[in-house]
Amino acid sequence: MNKSIRKAAVIGSGIMGSGIAAHLANVGIPCLLLDVVPTQLTEEETKKGLTLENPAVRSRLATSAIEKLSKIKPAPLYDPAFASRITPGNLEDHLPQIADVDWVIEVVVENLEVKQQLLKRVEQHWKPGTVVSSNTSGISINEMAAECGESFRKHFLGTHFFNPPRYMKLLEIIPGRDTEPELVARMKDFCERVLGKGVVIAKDTPNFIANRIGTYGLLVTLQEMVKKGFTVEEVDAVTGPAMGRPKSATFRTLDLVGLDTFVHVADNVRMNVDNEREQAVFTSPDVLTGMVARGWLGEKSGQGFYLKKKTPAGSEILSLDLKTLEYVPQMKPKSASLEAAKMAKGAGAKTKALLGAKDRYSDLAWDILKQVLVYSAEKVGEIADSVKEIDDAMKWGFSWELGPFETWDAIGLARSVERMEAEGLTVPAWVKEWVAAGHKSFYKQEEGRLYSIHVASGAYREVEQPEEVINLRSLKEQNKVVKGNSGASLIDIGDGVACLEFHSPNNAIGEDILSMITQSIDEVRSNFRGLVIANQARNYCVGANIMLLLMEAQDEEWDEINEIIRKFQYTMYALKRFEKPVVAAPHRMCLGGGVESCMPADLVIAAPETYYGLVEVGVGLIPAGGGCKELALRASQTAGLPDADLQPYINHIFQTVGTATVSTSGHDAKRLGYLRPSDRVAVSQDVQIYQAKQAVLGLDRSGYEPIPQEKVRVVGAEGKAVLQLGALGMKQSGYISDHDYLIARKLAHVLAGGDVPAGTLVSEEYMLDLEREAFLSLCGEPKTQQRMHHMLTKGKALRN
């Protein structure tokens, strides 16, 4: 099944329902969004003379939810225009329309009786063969559909999206007893290939996989904290990045989720399991229930474990003292174990370092971790069939860098089991048998293939890897690196295609990467059909190496800076003129020089989550690696005819670059003009390199010809005056500083093509010279050097 689901209906227009509808719209699936009919008029509706029978009033809840999609942050839609793919309606007038859709998703309140009643109504209009699912976080799928017919139950299952649906990778699919296995396989395939989700198959047990393990871990942490007298900030210091977990750690996570929601989720397990020990763990501590009773629910109520307070010096975040229930200034914890974790590279090494330092924070980490690992092992077979599904659920749903079993491997399986047993913990028999058989890990990698323990057989079983997923780390382990240096590697990804991977710190572009691009061009010219530029780091590229630029500027090494920029420009120029196809595949942060490394490519295939922008003005500079030249050239091409008005296109570029605007998605990068109409957005980052490889092969098969040289028609002195007048207005209105205005004037000079007459045709080399000249002059400005220093030390832009 590829895209056999062509139309969907979502019932329930709350945050989750509208978010799911938005993500369906993101991937091009028209969606009907339904909710109940309001029982009261709003003040505005009353003023308009409307009644409860008016169609606009009857579908108000869904209509309002769709309107809010363009205002919510982070944005649920890849592009605000995609909201037009969602049609509002209500359950009284429009429920029969579900007969025309291929998938109905129920997203109403987490109440079994309400869901049962709704499903019976859905069944009355259900077309045989239509998929129906519930987006529940823990209610039994079997109980929900118990009163529906057998044919309906065969097509019913749970699809638990995580919030927010656009951004969270995890989707738990929960088959019922009667769900057709073939339907489960088709839905898994569809949700992975079309929705871009990471799918795990969960069993119909309370809270399924991620929430079961995640809730257990958070409760164990709370209990250990209360028992040993740790503070909120101490626990968060231990349970965040030091353990390979998100910065939100324990208590920021609880504040984000909502303490009342968390208690409800915990109660769902407590009330639906028979094991007394498990019931005790899932009983929320008094401090938690007490906070809920006070209305301290976290971010949604303005206070929880943390409170943001305004002071004369600015905003301050206070933490809750659990003994006094008063908010106090935070005290940043320091210890050998936390420092060791900070210095280590990678989640596994960080966790191992944290546990190995032997201080009170190390002990806390171990006391939490050992219980989570054992509990996860106890639940294999009960909540999921494999350790891989549990690991994936925790990585994709809770943003852990390693799942529990991967973590166990990282800290040393045999040694940790021995320590657990010595401390009186009961380790599941299957784990002890696995270790006794001489196995040192739950996973192993051989010849590029991944294997994990198959608990039922007590042997390793290969983990199926989709053909569309290309893993660069695995290829490197198979000795597929053709060339490499400290900043980048050229990797053979098969079928005559090579991939240039950046791996410098933050993937910042410096001499090493530029050198490898040049070497890659020579290597691909001789031995490959084409080149993909991609990597699988957290971010594609944060830009050029500004530390090097700042050092050279402070030493007034202007000739050196000139050569650095010239080399950047002409490396990109050589890439653009290369006689073999080049496809770039950026993801997440792709800023400044990262964007300029993609611009020479014949095609860009961006990930959906690509935050793409020329942001050099934030450090007091302008784009000078060909970014201004490329955008001016594209404006010239877009305007077309010699007498066509070029100014509006240049105005748009000037505003986008001058305000350091960054796209909110790959689709938004198209809207902003950073990507060309011919560029594409992959369905997910997982398949991006595969799609880029296929694009290279397609270009090669079609008889690829390099991009020809082309003159740039510019707006010249007259157009520059228009741009600079706009910048002056911004300065006089107080929107930009004097230094911002200086940068804007130089940016205008470059984008306009200098002081030549309007309509002049100039060469790309001429435009590059303008870029470099403006860049060099700005490097000499003290305020630009202050901006660069501030970005390096504070990680954010300075307005001076």
Side-chain angles (χ1 to χ4, degrees):
M1 173 173 113
N2 185 12
K3 205 164 181 178
S4 59
I5 291 177
R6 295 172 297 276
K7 190 176 180 183
V10 175
I11 302 176
S13 67
I15 293 294
M16 278 304 295
S18 61
I20 291 169
H23 194 57
L24 291 168
N26 282 337
V27 298
I29 297 174
C31 186
L32 179 65
L33 182 62
L34 305 179
D35 212 318
V36 296
V37 173
T39 56
Q40 287 185 316
L41 293 170
T42 65
E43 188 177 332
E44 187 179 349
E45 288 167 342
T46 302
K47 286 179 181 177
K48 289 180 179 179
L50 301 178
T51 70
L52 289 173
E53 296 307 310
N54 187 281
V57 173
R58 291 174 69 80
S59 297
R60 181 221 306 152
L61 295 180
T63 302
S64 174
I66 295 167
E67 289 170 351
K68 288 176 183 174
L69 290 175
S70 59
K71 301 169 186 173
I72 297 171
K73 293 190 184 306
L77 292 163
Y78 291 153
D79 185 322
F82 292 171
S84 64
R85 297 170 179 172
I86 309 172
T87 303
N90 66 74
L91 284 169
E92 302 300 326
D93 305 324
H94 305 110
L95 189 59
Q97 292 182 20
I98 66 171
D100 298 325
V101 306
D102 307 299
W103 183 12
V104 178
I105 311 170
E106 169 272 303
V107 199
V108 299
V109 63
E110 284 287 88
N111 179 290
L112 177 60
E113 187 177 342
V114 171
K115 289 179 182 288
Q116 287 174 328
Q117 290 173 356
L118 177 61
L119 288 178
K120 281 191 279 187
R121 290 183 65 189
V122 168
E123 188 177 16
Q124 292 171 11
H125 304 283
W126 176 69
K127 178 181 66 181
T130 299
V131 181
V132 181
S133 70
S134 171
N135 180 70
T136 175
S137 60
I139 295 177
S140 170
I141 299 302
N142 288 310
E143 288 184 37
M144 226 184 280
E147 297 177 25
C148 295
E150 182 182 355
S151 180
F152 184 89
R153 294 198 307 272
K154 285 181 177 180
H155 293 83
F156 179 68
L157 69 166
T159 48
H160 180 209
F161 289 81
F162 274 60
N163 191 32
R166 167 184 162 181
Y167 298 93
M168 295 302 292
K169 184 173 180 177
L170 181 62
L171 173 59
E172 293 176 325
I173 287 183
I174 311 101
R177 275 189 298 268
D178 300 316
T179 311
E180 291 180 347
E182 190 265 344
L183 175 70
V184 176
R186 285 195 295 121
M187 286 301 292
K188 181 176 188 294
D189 179 75
F190 174 82
C191 293
E192 288 173 342
R193 292 176 186 272
V194 180
L195 298 188
K197 292 297 175 188
V199 176
V200 297
I201 306 299
K203 293 181 180 288
D204 190 15
T205 56
N207 289 12
F208 312 128
I209 302 174
N211 279 345
R212 183 73 167 266
I213 302 295
T215 305
Y216 179 91
L218 289 165
L219 287 166
V220 161
T221 302
L222 271 166
Q223 289 156 9
E224 290 297 325
M225 172 193 186
V226 171
K227 194 190 304 180
K228 297 185 172 71
F230 285 95
T231 66
V232 164
E233 56 266 41
E234 284 178 320
V235 171
D236 273 358
V238 170
T239 59
M243 285 178 70
R245 309 281 173 81
K247 288 181 181 178
S248 57
T250 297
F251 294 109
R252 291 188 195 282
T253 297
L254 285 169
D255 279 355
L256 284 167
V257 167
L259 273 58
D260 53 339
T261 302
F262 179 77
V263 169
H264 173 76
V265 171
D267 284 346
N268 189 53
V269 178
R270 181 178 56 80
M271 294 186 295
N272 288 285
V273 295
D274 299 324
N275 185 295
E276 289 184 9
R277 181 173 61 85
E278 205 170 357
Q279 288 174 342
V281 173
F282 280 93
T283 300
S284 297
D286 291 342
V287 65
L288 202 57
T289 54
M291 289 173 70
V292 172
R294 287 170 176 252
W296 297 358
L297 307 180
E299 283 211 351
K300 61 185 173 186
S301 68
Q303 66 186 106
F305 286 101
Y306 290 98
L307 171 68
K308 192 171 185 178
K309 187 177 180 181
K310 290 185 177 178
T311 69
S315 292
E316 182 184 6
I317 298 176
L318 307 177
S319 63
L320 184 67
D321 183 325
L322 297 193
K323 292 177 183 174
T324 64
L325 290 184
E326 293 180 353
Y327 290 96
V328 297
Q330 293 186 62
M331 301 288 288
K332 189 174 181 181
K334 293 183 179 180
S335 77
S337 62
L338 293 173
E339 192 59 32
K342 186 178 179 180
M343 298 301 291
K345 300 295 183 186
K350 285 181 179 294
T351 306
K352 198 171 182 178
L354 177 66
L355 298 177
K358 303 301 178 189
D359 56 29
R360 63 192 296 264
Y361 296 129
S362 176
D363 290 342
L364 174 63
W366 170 250
D367 289 337
I368 294 168
L369 188 60
K370 68 182 180 183
Q371 295 182 71
V372 173
L373 299 184
V374 167
Y375 186 72
S376 300
E378 289 173 350
K379 295 300 142 191
V380 176
E382 180 184 333
I383 65 174
D385 282 331
S386 72
V387 301
K388 183 75 166 54
E389 283 168 317
I390 292 176
D391 278 349
D392 286 344
M394 298 316 298
K395 288 188 292 184
W396 298 337
F398 275 73
S399 299
W400 292 8
E401 288 188 50
L402 297 174
F405 298 98
E406 291 171 326
T407 301
W408 217 333
D409 282 356
I411 65 173
L413 177 57
R415 188 168 60 253
S416 58
V417 167
E418 184 180 343
R419 182 178 174 185
M420 289 170 182
E421 292 199 287
E423 294 175 3
L425 221 56
T426 303
V427 177
W430 71 264
V431 176
K432 293 195 287 185
E433 289 166 7
W434 183 251
V435 172
H439 298 296
K440 293 180 169 38
S441 62
F442 294 114
Y443 293 91
K444 69 174 182 177
Q445 195 105 22
E446 285 183 0
E447 297 179 355
R449 296 183 178 184
L450 178 65
Y451 297 83
S452 69
I453 178 176
H454 182 244
V455 176
S457 64
Y460 281 114
R461 178 177 287 186
E462 185 178 351
V463 177
E464 288 186 21
Q465 303 277 29
E467 178 195 2
E468 295 87 351
V469 176
I470 293 175
N471 187 307
L472 296 181
R473 178 185 292 180
S474 176
L475 289 170
K476 288 193 283 188
E477 289 170 355
Q478 297 171 62
N479 299 315
K480 297 292 186 181
V481 176
V482 181
K483 286 182 176 292
N485 63 20
S486 60
S489 295
L490 186 68
I491 304 165
D492 184 346
I493 59 174
D495 299 317
V497 180
C499 177
L500 178 63
E501 176 203 36
F502 300 166
H503 49 65
S504 64
N506 293 318
N507 287 356
I509 297 176
E511 165 66 29
D512 46 7
I513 288 180
L514 295 177
S515 173
M516 189 49 59
I517 292 173
T518 301
Q519 292 179 56
S520 297
I521 288 172
D522 291 339
E523 181 67 31
V524 172
R525 178 180 289 120
S526 301
N527 298 309
F528 290 89
R529 297 168 67 181
L531 178 67
V532 168
I533 304 176
N535 63 72
Q536 292 171 324
R538 176 169 176 77
N539 294 308
Y540 174 84
C541 177
V542 297
N545 186 339
I546 60 172
M547 181 178 288
L548 174 63
L549 285 170
L550 177 60
M551 289 168 60
E552 299 289 5
Q554 288 175 334
D555 291 341
E556 299 186 0
E557 296 285 355
W558 310 122
D559 288 344
E560 188 65 30
I561 294 176
N562 187 55
E563 273 312 301
I564 290 170
I565 301 308
R566 186 190 298 275
K567 181 167 185 179
F568 196 151
Q569 290 180 335
Y570 283 93
T571 301
M572 297 303 117
Y573 189 80
L575 196 59
K576 181 174 181 178
R577 301 289 171 233
F578 187 37
E579 62 270 24
K580 294 204 174 181
V582 177
V583 177
H587 66 277
R588 292 186 62 84
M589 288 294 183
C590 179
L591 305 174
V595 172
E596 290 173 315
S597 75
C598 295
M599 283 180 156
D602 299 284
L603 178 70
V604 176
I605 299 181
E609 300 306 331
T610 300
Y611 315 125
Y612 201 79
L614 293 169
V615 296
E616 285 82 354
V617 298
V619 288
L621 299 167
I622 68 157
C628 291
K629 178 264 293 182
E630 279 298 313
L631 289 178
L633 174 59
R634 292 178 188 182
S636 173
Q637 293 167 335
T638 303
L641 298 173
D643 57 348
D645 187 3
L646 186 57
Q647 191 71 48
Y649 299 96
I650 295 297
N651 291 350
H652 173 72
I653 292 168
F654 180 67
Q655 181 178 7
T656 302
V657 177
T659 55
T661 303
V662 176
S663 74
T664 58
S665 69
H667 294 86
D668 191 47
K670 276 195 168 190
R671 181 185 67 81
L672 291 170
Y674 286 132
L675 294 182
R676 299 159 293 196
S678 58
D679 292 328
R680 305 205 299 256
V681 180
V683 67
S684 77
Q685 193 178 323
D686 289 345
V687 300
Q688 195 183 3
I689 295 179
Y690 174 84
Q691 290 187 1
K693 173 184 168 180
Q694 297 306 310
V696 165
L697 293 172
L699 288 166
D700 178 63
R701 281 193 298 268
S702 64
Y704 177 76
E705 293 183 7
I707 299 171
Q709 291 193 5
E710 188 173 352
K711 294 287 187 179
V712 184
R713 181 163 69 92
V714 297
V715 294
E718 184 181 321
K720 180 174 85 168
V722 172
L723 300 178
Q724 292 184 340
L725 184 61
L728 179 61
M730 294 282 283
K731 175 178 172 289
Q732 291 175 337
S733 301
Y735 289 109
I736 62 175
S737 67
D738 288 346
H739 192 54
D740 290 324
Y741 180 56
L742 172 66
I743 298 164
R745 285 177 61 84
K746 291 187 179 292
L747 177 63
H749 180 74
V750 176
L751 291 175
D755 292 318
V756 299
T760 300
L761 294 174
V762 301
S763 68
E764 291 184 57
E765 290 87 346
Y766 168 83
M767 293 295 291
L768 291 174
D769 288 343
L770 290 180
E771 281 186 357
R772 198 167 63 255
E773 179 187 335
F775 190 94
L776 274 166
S777 67
L778 286 169
C779 279
E781 294 287 336
K783 287 189 176 182
T784 284
Q785 293 178 22
Q786 289 170 13
R787 289 191 180 192
M788 287 195 277
H789 182 266
H790 193 270
M791 179 61 73
L792 287 167
T793 55
K794 304 291 185 182
K796 56 186 179 182
L798 171 69
R799 291 296 305 276
N800 60 351

